[in-house]
Amino acid sequence: MSATLPGPSSNASPPRQTIEVATGLGPVAGTVVDGVADFRGVCYASGTRFGESADPVQAQMTPAAFPQRPGMLNALLGVALGELGQSEDAFTVRIQAPLGVTGAPVIVFIPGGAFTSGSGEARWFSSADWVCNGQVVLVSVNYRLGALGTISPDGDPSGSARAFRDLKRAVRWVHSNIRLFGGDPDNVTLSGDSAGAWYAYGLASTPDLAGLIARALLISLPRLDPLSREDDAARRTGFLEGLGDEASRVDLSDTAVERILDAQVSAAASYRGNGMAFTPAACDDLPPWLTDYDLSGPALGLNNLLVLTSTDEAAAFLQGAPRERFTSAYVDDFTAQHFTKPSDVAAYLTIRRGVTSPYRRVVDLSTLHQFRLPALQIARAAAASGTTVKVVRFGVRSLVPELGSPHCMVLPFLFGGRSAWHDAPMLAGLDPALFDRAQADLREVVLAFVRDWPGDRLVGGPLYPSTLDIDEIGVRVTPPDDQELALIDVVR
């Protein structure tokens, strides 16, 4: 079997040309767009409900998403996920590769969605121009979501890591098969956004995949512990209660998927434990110390690491909340709950931001606690153990009032572009020239990282502890802020 993509089929009529690649399970068909072969619905596994995934039994299927309800950030991102059909057997990857390429760097991307929504098959990740210009192979991944991925029918916490093990299988499949699509299996960058970044961090930390991942790109990685055994049991109880008379049937094999999704929604609403309701629980695959970054950071088996956040991550989650909720007392309580030295944090934000509204204060505090400080802590720990680390902060602001540069703002600039994200409310009215300039800056930084361009180039990014900022102004190095670095160790 050839390791180089063939040219487009001679009998295809433009502009929609087709292409085939032979695999061990049969041919995989793709379409050619702007010099890039786009293979959708490529199977990396097969599986049964609440069972472990297994080797694939077919080469390709109609692109689909795993069963889900609308994502919590659809009001900002748009409704692209709703364009896909849904299937419980959507163990697929989407592969985009330049025609004729061989031995190209590979980016494996795990989309986020609070562990309950998302799909690597969404139009958001159509990236022909970036793939072609960068001469990289982009692989976006589906994995099981919500109850189907993280509820353990028998109560064993290891059952909550099914989706994590799906993703392990996907990484191994890429290593074994990506050469057929023009990629270099020994030059894989594992990337993810939000929950996808959480999974990517766990995958990069596990010795099971040692040698299969060269570098990692973590986008908006949240500080989020694996659930405790008690919280895992509580969310399982909430889920089974939501099923009502189905609760006594352990395998749930013939329960309608809509009922499972209904029970998932009710379980999330009633959950009162730590973290998000459908976060995997601590187990052998995902140790409880995963988010003790001083312990897990040195365990990353990587040559290079890039950690990317937005300046106003938390605004995505707080933007719809009533402003009267955010009083000065609320701010003080929030600070005391999340930081061991509240006065130091308050003084830092006053110096950095000046006097702001209580709402703005909570956005800054939550962003600092959940995203910015974890990025710096991971960077510090990984750099100390010999990994080359770069920290990037994205700051292009939405025109939506008080939104700033929120969680997921990075994605349209890195993947898809203006056309694939044309209906995203958070991008409404944004100057196209500004978008294109910031997109070019961000993509060049990421390509410099993926292709190991020299680190002393500005686009290559500074080494930790400096930060590379990308915003309306352009690209610049921000020297380390001693006050901010001192806050790394004051989080609760």
Short mmCIF file of all heavy atoms in Angstrom, two decimals, residues 408-449:
data_model
loop_
_atom_site.label_atom_id
_atom_site.label_comp_id
_atom_site.label_asym_id
_atom_site.label_seq_id
_atom_site.Cartn_x
_atom_site.Cartn_y
_atom_site.Cartn_z
N CYS A 408 -13.02 29.19 23.70
CA CYS A 408 -13.30 28.76 22.33
C CYS A 408 -13.06 29.84 21.28
O CYS A 408 -13.19 29.57 20.08
CB CYS A 408 -14.73 28.23 22.17
SG CYS A 408 -15.05 26.70 23.08
N MET A 409 -12.69 31.05 21.67
CA MET A 409 -12.45 32.10 20.68
C MET A 409 -11.29 31.73 19.76
O MET A 409 -11.25 32.14 18.59
CB MET A 409 -12.16 33.43 21.37
CG MET A 409 -12.10 34.63 20.46
SD MET A 409 -13.73 35.04 19.78
CE MET A 409 -13.40 36.64 19.01
N VAL A 410 -10.36 30.94 20.26
CA VAL A 410 -9.20 30.54 19.47
C VAL A 410 -9.60 29.70 18.25
O VAL A 410 -8.99 29.81 17.18
CB VAL A 410 -8.22 29.74 20.36
CG1 VAL A 410 -7.17 29.04 19.52
CG2 VAL A 410 -7.56 30.65 21.37
N LEU A 411 -10.62 28.86 18.41
CA LEU A 411 -10.88 27.81 17.43
C LEU A 411 -11.12 28.31 16.01
O LEU A 411 -10.57 27.75 15.06
CB LEU A 411 -12.04 26.94 17.90
CG LEU A 411 -11.81 26.18 19.20
CD1 LEU A 411 -13.03 25.34 19.56
CD2 LEU A 411 -10.56 25.31 19.11
N PRO A 412 -11.95 29.34 15.78
CA PRO A 412 -12.16 29.78 14.40
C PRO A 412 -10.89 30.30 13.73
O PRO A 412 -10.75 30.20 12.51
CB PRO A 412 -13.20 30.90 14.53
CG PRO A 412 -13.84 30.68 15.85
CD PRO A 412 -12.80 30.09 16.73
N PHE A 413 -9.99 30.85 14.53
CA PHE A 413 -8.76 31.40 13.97
C PHE A 413 -7.76 30.29 13.63
O PHE A 413 -6.94 30.46 12.73
CB PHE A 413 -8.13 32.39 14.96
CG PHE A 413 -8.95 33.62 15.17
CD1 PHE A 413 -10.00 33.63 16.09
CD2 PHE A 413 -8.68 34.78 14.45
CE1 PHE A 413 -10.77 34.77 16.29
CE2 PHE A 413 -9.45 35.92 14.64
CZ PHE A 413 -10.50 35.91 15.56
N LEU A 414 -7.84 29.18 14.34
CA LEU A 414 -6.93 28.08 14.08
C LEU A 414 -7.50 27.10 13.05
O LEU A 414 -6.81 26.67 12.13
CB LEU A 414 -6.62 27.34 15.38
CG LEU A 414 -5.52 26.29 15.34
CD1 LEU A 414 -4.21 26.88 14.84
CD2 LEU A 414 -5.33 25.67 16.72
N PHE A 415 -8.77 26.79 13.19
CA PHE A 415 -9.43 25.83 12.30
C PHE A 415 -10.57 26.52 11.55
O PHE A 415 -11.23 27.40 12.08
CB PHE A 415 -10.03 24.67 13.09
CG PHE A 415 -9.07 23.92 13.94
CD1 PHE A 415 -9.08 24.07 15.31
CD2 PHE A 415 -8.14 23.07 13.38
CE1 PHE A 415 -8.19 23.37 16.12
CE2 PHE A 415 -7.24 22.37 14.16
CZ PHE A 415 -7.27 22.52 15.54
N GLY A 416 -10.81 26.08 10.34
CA GLY A 416 -12.02 26.47 9.64
C GLY A 416 -12.01 27.85 9.02
O GLY A 416 -12.26 28.02 7.84
N GLY A 417 -11.74 28.86 9.83
CA GLY A 417 -11.74 30.22 9.31
C GLY A 417 -13.13 30.83 9.25
O GLY A 417 -14.10 30.28 9.76
N ARG A 418 -13.21 31.99 8.61
CA ARG A 418 -14.47 32.74 8.60
C ARG A 418 -15.61 31.99 7.91
O ARG A 418 -16.76 32.09 8.32
CB ARG A 418 -14.25 34.09 7.92
CG ARG A 418 -13.50 35.08 8.79
CD ARG A 418 -13.50 36.47 8.20
NE ARG A 418 -12.56 36.59 7.09
CZ ARG A 418 -12.87 37.00 5.87
NH1 ARG A 418 -14.12 37.31 5.58
NH2 ARG A 418 -11.95 37.09 4.93
N SER A 419 -15.31 31.21 6.89
CA SER A 419 -16.39 30.53 6.17
C SER A 419 -17.01 29.42 7.01
O SER A 419 -18.23 29.28 7.08
CB SER A 419 -15.88 29.97 4.84
OG SER A 419 -14.83 29.04 5.06
N ALA A 420 -16.19 28.61 7.67
CA ALA A 420 -16.71 27.50 8.46
C ALA A 420 -17.41 27.97 9.72
O ALA A 420 -18.25 27.26 10.28
CB ALA A 420 -15.57 26.54 8.81
N TRP A 421 -17.07 29.18 10.17
CA TRP A 421 -17.64 29.73 11.41
C TRP A 421 -18.53 30.94 11.10
O TRP A 421 -18.71 31.81 11.95
CB TRP A 421 -16.53 30.13 12.36
CG TRP A 421 -15.74 28.97 12.90
CD1 TRP A 421 -14.74 28.30 12.27
CD2 TRP A 421 -15.91 28.36 14.17
NE1 TRP A 421 -14.26 27.30 13.08
CE2 TRP A 421 -14.94 27.31 14.26
CE3 TRP A 421 -16.75 28.59 15.26
CZ2 TRP A 421 -14.83 26.50 15.38
CZ3 TRP A 421 -16.63 27.77 16.39
CH2 TRP A 421 -15.68 26.75 16.44
N HIS A 422 -19.12 30.98 9.93
CA HIS A 422 -19.84 32.17 9.48
C HIS A 422 -21.03 32.52 10.37
O HIS A 422 -21.44 33.67 10.45
CB HIS A 422 -20.33 31.98 8.04
CG HIS A 422 -21.34 30.88 7.89
ND1 HIS A 422 -22.69 31.07 8.02
CD2 HIS A 422 -21.17 29.55 7.63
CE1 HIS A 422 -23.33 29.93 7.85
NE2 HIS A 422 -22.43 28.99 7.61
N ASP A 423 -21.60 31.52 11.08
CA ASP A 423 -22.78 31.77 11.89
C ASP A 423 -22.48 31.77 13.38
O ASP A 423 -23.39 31.67 14.21
CB ASP A 423 -23.86 30.72 11.59
CG ASP A 423 -23.36 29.29 11.82
OD1 ASP A 423 -22.13 29.10 11.94
OD2 ASP A 423 -24.20 28.37 11.87
N ALA A 424 -21.21 31.91 13.76
CA ALA A 424 -20.85 31.94 15.17
C ALA A 424 -21.16 33.32 15.76
O ALA A 424 -20.53 34.31 15.36
CB ALA A 424 -19.37 31.62 15.35
N PRO A 425 -22.10 33.43 16.69
CA PRO A 425 -22.45 34.74 17.23
C PRO A 425 -21.28 35.51 17.84
O PRO A 425 -21.25 36.73 17.78
CB PRO A 425 -23.52 34.41 18.28
CG PRO A 425 -24.16 33.15 17.77
CD PRO A 425 -23.03 32.37 17.17
N MET A 426 -20.31 34.81 18.40
CA MET A 426 -19.20 35.53 19.04
C MET A 426 -18.31 36.24 18.02
O MET A 426 -17.52 37.12 18.38
CB MET A 426 -18.35 34.57 19.88
CG MET A 426 -17.59 33.53 19.10
SD MET A 426 -16.68 32.43 20.22
CE MET A 426 -15.90 31.31 19.05
N LEU A 427 -18.44 35.89 16.72
CA LEU A 427 -17.64 36.54 15.68
C LEU A 427 -18.42 37.63 14.93
O LEU A 427 -17.85 38.27 14.04
CB LEU A 427 -17.13 35.51 14.68
CG LEU A 427 -16.22 34.41 15.21
CD1 LEU A 427 -15.82 33.47 14.09
CD2 LEU A 427 -14.99 34.99 15.89
N ALA A 428 -19.68 37.83 15.27
CA ALA A 428 -20.53 38.76 14.53
C ALA A 428 -19.93 40.16 14.50
O ALA A 428 -19.56 40.72 15.53
CB ALA A 428 -21.93 38.81 15.15
N GLY A 429 -19.80 40.70 13.29
CA GLY A 429 -19.33 42.07 13.12
C GLY A 429 -17.84 42.26 13.21
O GLY A 429 -17.35 43.38 13.02
N LEU A 430 -17.09 41.20 13.46
CA LEU A 430 -15.64 41.34 13.59
C LEU A 430 -15.03 41.72 12.25
O LEU A 430 -15.40 41.17 11.21
CB LEU A 430 -15.04 40.03 14.09
CG LEU A 430 -13.67 40.09 14.75
CD1 LEU A 430 -13.72 40.88 16.05
CD2 LEU A 430 -13.16 38.68 15.03
N ASP A 431 -14.12 42.66 12.26
CA ASP A 431 -13.48 43.14 11.04
C ASP A 431 -12.77 41.98 10.33
O ASP A 431 -11.88 41.35 10.90
CB ASP A 431 -12.47 44.23 11.41
CG ASP A 431 -11.71 44.77 10.21
OD1 ASP A 431 -12.14 44.52 9.07
OD2 ASP A 431 -10.67 45.42 10.42
N PRO A 432 -13.15 41.69 9.07
CA PRO A 432 -12.52 40.57 8.35
C PRO A 432 -11.01 40.71 8.24
O PRO A 432 -10.28 39.72 8.31
CB PRO A 432 -13.20 40.60 6.98
CG PRO A 432 -14.51 41.26 7.22
CD PRO A 432 -14.26 42.29 8.29
N ALA A 433 -10.54 41.94 8.05
CA ALA A 433 -9.09 42.14 7.93
C ALA A 433 -8.38 41.79 9.24
O ALA A 433 -7.30 41.19 9.24
CB ALA A 433 -8.78 43.57 7.52
N LEU A 434 -9.00 42.19 10.37
CA LEU A 434 -8.44 41.83 11.67
C LEU A 434 -8.45 40.32 11.86
O LEU A 434 -7.46 39.73 12.31
CB LEU A 434 -9.24 42.50 12.79
CG LEU A 434 -8.97 42.00 14.22
CD1 LEU A 434 -7.52 42.23 14.61
CD2 LEU A 434 -9.91 42.68 15.21
N PHE A 435 -9.56 39.69 11.51
CA PHE A 435 -9.65 38.23 11.64
C PHE A 435 -8.54 37.56 10.84
O PHE A 435 -7.81 36.71 11.36
CB PHE A 435 -11.01 37.74 11.15
CG PHE A 435 -11.22 36.26 11.34
CD1 PHE A 435 -11.96 35.78 12.39
CD2 PHE A 435 -10.65 35.33 10.45
CE1 PHE A 435 -12.15 34.40 12.57
CE2 PHE A 435 -10.81 33.97 10.63
CZ PHE A 435 -11.56 33.50 11.69
N ASP A 436 -8.37 37.96 9.59
CA ASP A 436 -7.39 37.31 8.72
C ASP A 436 -5.97 37.52 9.23
O ASP A 436 -5.14 36.61 9.18
CB ASP A 436 -7.53 37.84 7.29
CG ASP A 436 -8.83 37.42 6.63
OD1 ASP A 436 -9.51 36.51 7.16
OD2 ASP A 436 -9.19 38.01 5.60
N ARG A 437 -5.70 38.71 9.74
CA ARG A 437 -4.35 38.98 10.25
C ARG A 437 -4.07 38.15 11.50
O ARG A 437 -3.00 37.53 11.63
CB ARG A 437 -4.19 40.47 10.56
CG ARG A 437 -2.77 40.84 11.02
CD ARG A 437 -2.60 42.34 11.19
NE ARG A 437 -3.32 42.85 12.34
CZ ARG A 437 -4.40 43.63 12.28
NH1 ARG A 437 -4.90 43.98 11.10
NH2 ARG A 437 -4.98 44.06 13.38
N ALA A 438 -5.03 38.11 12.43
CA ALA A 438 -4.83 37.33 13.66
C ALA A 438 -4.77 35.84 13.35
O ALA A 438 -4.00 35.10 13.98
CB ALA A 438 -5.96 37.63 14.65
N GLN A 439 -5.57 35.40 12.38
CA GLN A 439 -5.53 34.01 11.98
C GLN A 439 -4.15 33.64 11.44
O GLN A 439 -3.58 32.59 11.80
CB GLN A 439 -6.59 33.72 10.93
CG GLN A 439 -6.61 32.27 10.46
CD GLN A 439 -7.60 32.03 9.35
OE1 GLN A 439 -7.45 32.57 8.25
NE2 GLN A 439 -8.63 31.26 9.62
N ALA A 440 -3.60 34.49 10.58
CA ALA A 440 -2.27 34.22 10.02
C ALA A 440 -1.22 34.16 11.12
O ALA A 440 -0.33 33.29 11.11
CB ALA A 440 -1.91 35.29 8.98
N ASP A 441 -1.32 35.07 12.09
CA ASP A 441 -0.36 35.08 13.20
C ASP A 441 -0.45 33.80 14.02
O ASP A 441 0.57 33.16 14.32
CB ASP A 441 -0.61 36.29 14.11
CG ASP A 441 -0.22 37.62 13.47
OD1 ASP A 441 0.59 37.61 12.52
OD2 ASP A 441 -0.74 38.66 13.91
N LEU A 442 -1.67 33.42 14.38
CA LEU A 442 -1.84 32.24 15.23
C LEU A 442 -1.40 30.98 14.50
O LEU A 442 -0.70 30.13 15.05
CB LEU A 442 -3.30 32.12 15.67
CG LEU A 442 -3.62 30.90 16.54
CD1 LEU A 442 -2.85 30.94 17.84
CD2 LEU A 442 -5.12 30.82 16.80
N ARG A 443 -1.82 30.85 13.25
CA ARG A 443 -1.46 29.65 12.50
C ARG A 443 0.05 29.55 12.30
O ARG A 443 0.61 28.45 12.34
CB ARG A 443 -2.18 29.64 11.16
CG ARG A 443 -3.67 29.33 11.28
CD ARG A 443 -4.36 29.33 9.94
NE ARG A 443 -5.71 28.78 10.02
CZ ARG A 443 -6.51 28.60 8.98
NH1 ARG A 443 -6.09 28.94 7.76
NH2 ARG A 443 -7.72 28.09 9.13
N GLU A 444 0.71 30.68 12.10
CA GLU A 444 2.16 30.61 11.93
C GLU A 444 2.84 30.17 13.21
O GLU A 444 3.80 29.40 13.19
CB GLU A 444 2.70 31.97 11.48
CG GLU A 444 4.18 31.90 11.11
CD GLU A 444 4.71 33.18 10.50
OE1 GLU A 444 3.99 34.20 10.51
OE2 GLU A 444 5.86 33.16 10.02
N VAL A 445 2.33 30.64 14.35
CA VAL A 445 2.89 30.22 15.63
C VAL A 445 2.74 28.71 15.81
O VAL A 445 3.68 28.01 16.20
CB VAL A 445 2.21 30.98 16.78
CG1 VAL A 445 2.54 30.33 18.13
CG2 VAL A 445 2.63 32.44 16.79
N VAL A 446 1.55 28.20 15.52
CA VAL A 446 1.30 26.78 15.71
C VAL A 446 2.11 25.95 14.71
O VAL A 446 2.68 24.91 15.07
CB VAL A 446 -0.20 26.47 15.60
CG1 VAL A 446 -0.45 24.97 15.60
CG2 VAL A 446 -0.95 27.12 16.76
N LEU A 447 2.21 26.40 13.46
CA LEU A 447 3.03 25.67 12.50
C LEU A 447 4.50 25.68 12.89
O LEU A 447 5.22 24.69 12.69
CB LEU A 447 2.85 26.26 11.10
CG LEU A 447 1.56 25.89 10.38
CD1 LEU A 447 1.48 26.62 9.04
CD2 LEU A 447 1.47 24.38 10.15
N ALA A 448 4.96 26.80 13.42
CA ALA A 448 6.34 26.86 13.88
C ALA A 448 6.59 25.82 14.96
O ALA A 448 7.64 25.17 15.01
CB ALA A 448 6.65 28.26 14.41
N PHE A 449 5.60 25.64 15.82
CA PHE A 449 5.70 24.64 16.89
C PHE A 449 5.65 23.22 16.32
O PHE A 449 6.49 22.38 16.63
CB PHE A 449 4.56 24.88 17.88
CG PHE A 449 4.40 23.80 18.91
CD1 PHE A 449 5.30 23.68 19.95
CD2 PHE A 449 3.34 22.91 18.85
CE1 PHE A 449 5.16 22.69 20.91
CE2 PHE A 449 3.18 21.91 19.80
CZ PHE A 449 4.10 21.81 20.83
#
